[in-house]
Amino acid sequence: MRLVSHPILCNYYLTYRCNATCSFCDIWERPSPYVTLENARQNLRDLKKLGVRVVDFTGGEPLLHRQLPELLKEAKQLGLITTVTTNALLYPKQAERLHGLIDMLHFSLDSPIAEEHDKSRGVKCFDKVMESISIARKLGERPDILFTVFEHNVQKIKQMHEEICLPNDLVLILNPVFEYNAVETGDRFSENALQKMSWWGKQKNVYLNDAFIQLRRDGGNHIEAPICRAGSTTIVISPENKLVLPCYHLGLKDFAVNNNLYELYRSGEVQKLVALEGRLPACEGCSINCYMQPSFAVEVNKYFWRALPSTLKYNWMKGTWKQLL
């Protein structure tokens, strides 16, 4: 049973550029312009009209965009929920300008040990994350720690939780790594690792969408009975001001927006691609979290019920449940 028939999330890629070179990501390798404020203003109005509730200003590294505060203000004025994930290299310099504009601020941190985190990111940024936590807390912000979980670092969850998150009253988000394109991340978790993640997801100040664990056990999306609803739940806009379908990672086709995102998304050509969500050959076995999470929220099935308790828990911890009503 479908609960929501309109898109609820926009992954708005402000730029593909990044000041880190993470081993599990290839976005930073792509040449890229920056989103213009003029295009964004119109697109955000159209996103609101289409029923989108949440805009994730992403990248690349979104803090590289010099007009990020203005973009966030535009979204907030429309009543949209804003999210930003950053490696925190630039946050200390920009914290004041961003204050109060981000509903869900995530600092990426993949190890509680500086050398390990910096190695995975290809640049020294552990100390910047620690500095950013301190600055954010002084400003009254409560960022989340986004921990990309691999088979080899599951055992570091405890240290991350006890030494970084609990002392600062931060939510630890467990983000199981996924493979896509040519990026080999080794995302095939053992049952032991899945059990550990699931257990940690039930602990204080820890969030894990437990449907992710079920999906991994089921072998990901299956094209004969797809769980993925990427095309109908999530709108992807590129730095070139193009609508990308069926999702960023597959990106089979893009359409120039031309200041009319609302009509473009509703057009027959786009809706034909939307109808193929989860059914294309490359969709077999997919478990990309940023598209599966909204997919779990719009249709009543076993994944909906697995995701519901953790989703309610996160919104309660963050005090954002009223915004979603």
Side-chain angles (χ1 to χ4, degrees):
M1 182 176 69
R2 186 77 182 233
L3 297 174
V4 180
S5 57
H6 58 78
I8 57 176
L9 168 68
C10 174
N11 289 336
Y12 209 135
Y13 285 84
L14 302 184
T15 182
Y16 296 139
R17 299 184 188 189
C18 191
N19 48 6
T21 56
C22 302
S23 59
F24 51 87
C25 174
D26 67 352
I27 294 175
W28 55 270
E29 297 177 353
R30 301 180 61 174
S32 174
Y34 289 92
V35 164
T36 70
L37 187 56
E38 180 182 7
N39 286 336
R41 284 194 178 114
Q42 180 60 51
N43 290 341
L44 289 168
R45 288 194 290 268
D46 284 348
L47 288 170
K48 177 75 173 181
K49 192 175 177 181
L50 286 165
V52 167
R53 300 295 305 279
V54 180
V55 179
D56 180 20
F57 290 105
T58 187
E61 170 52 51
L63 269 63
L64 284 172
H65 199 298
R66 294 182 180 181
Q67 293 179 297
L68 179 57
E70 288 76 15
L71 294 167
L72 290 163
K73 287 175 185 175
E74 292 287 336
K76 295 288 285 181
Q77 287 171 1
L78 290 167
L80 297 166
I81 297 170
T82 58
T83 79
V84 171
T85 300
T86 175
N87 58 32
L89 281 168
L90 297 174
Y91 183 81
K93 291 184 178 180
Q94 300 187 23
E96 292 280 355
R97 296 179 64 220
L98 297 172
H99 178 50
L101 298 176
I102 305 172
D103 295 303
M104 289 177 276
L105 173 62
H106 307 320
F107 293 154
S108 295
L109 191 63
D110 303 327
S111 173
I113 300 170
E115 294 79 10
E116 291 182 357
H117 175 69
D118 292 347
K119 182 179 180 180
S120 74
R121 296 280 161 170
V123 62
K124 290 186 177 182
C125 53
F126 180 90
D127 290 343
K128 285 294 183 182
V129 176
M130 297 300 105
E131 181 185 358
S132 295
I133 290 172
S134 177
I135 292 171
R137 297 305 280 142
K138 288 177 182 177
L139 289 172
E141 304 278 12
R142 193 185 176 208
D144 300 325
I145 298 301
L146 183 66
F147 180 26
T148 300
V149 184
F150 297 80
E151 180 78 22
H152 67 262
N153 68 358
V154 171
Q155 70 275 12
K156 297 293 173 60
I157 296 175
K158 184 176 187 292
Q159 186 179 352
M160 184 84 78
H161 184 239
E162 293 180 350
E163 296 182 6
I164 295 174
C165 293
L166 288 182
N168 293 290
D169 191 28
L170 303 182
V171 174
L172 175 62
I173 298 178
L174 301 182
N175 181 45
V177 72
F178 53 84
E179 288 184 359
Y180 65 93
N181 296 341
V183 180
E184 295 296 329
T185 57
D187 73 333
R188 291 171 179 81
F189 291 100
S190 66
E191 179 59 28
N192 181 54
L194 293 174
Q195 288 179 10
K196 285 183 178 179
M197 281 190 280
S198 187
W199 184 87
W200 274 109
K202 298 175 176 63
Q203 307 311 305
K204 179 183 178 182
N205 279 27
V206 181
Y207 168 72
L208 167 71
N209 190 323
D210 207 47
F212 290 162
I213 302 301
Q214 184 63 51
L215 187 66
R216 297 306 178 93
R217 288 182 173 133
D218 293 343
N221 178 75
H222 296 296
I223 59 177
E224 73 278 4
I227 181 61
C228 177
R229 296 290 179 262
S232 60
T233 65
T234 307
I235 291 177
V236 179
I237 303 176
S238 76
E240 297 88 0
N241 200 34
K242 293 181 179 180
L243 176 66
V244 181
L245 287 163
C247 66
Y248 164 79
H249 295 88
L250 198 52
L252 289 183
K253 193 163 185 180
D254 54 43
F255 302 82
V257 172
N258 293 328
N259 294 319
N260 201 349
L261 178 62
Y262 180 79
E263 293 298 335
L264 174 62
Y265 181 78
R266 289 160 54 91
S267 69
E269 190 174 6
V270 166
Q271 288 304 307
K272 284 180 182 178
L273 276 174
V274 169
L276 294 174
E277 58 188 1
R279 299 182 183 277
L280 296 160
C283 300
E284 180 64 30
C286 176
S287 58
I288 297 175
N289 303 332
C290 48
Y291 296 101
M292 292 303 173
Q293 179 134 333
S295 298
F296 299 151
V298 299
E299 206 164 78
V300 177
N301 51 35
K302 70 176 182 179
Y303 297 105
F304 172 87
W305 293 114
R306 288 295 293 267
L308 184 60
S310 50
T311 301
L312 292 174
K313 175 186 176 183
Y314 178 78
N315 287 312
W316 181 262
M317 289 188 294
K318 298 294 292 183
T320 56
W321 59 273
K322 291 182 180 178
Q323 293 175 277
L324 298 173
L325 295 178

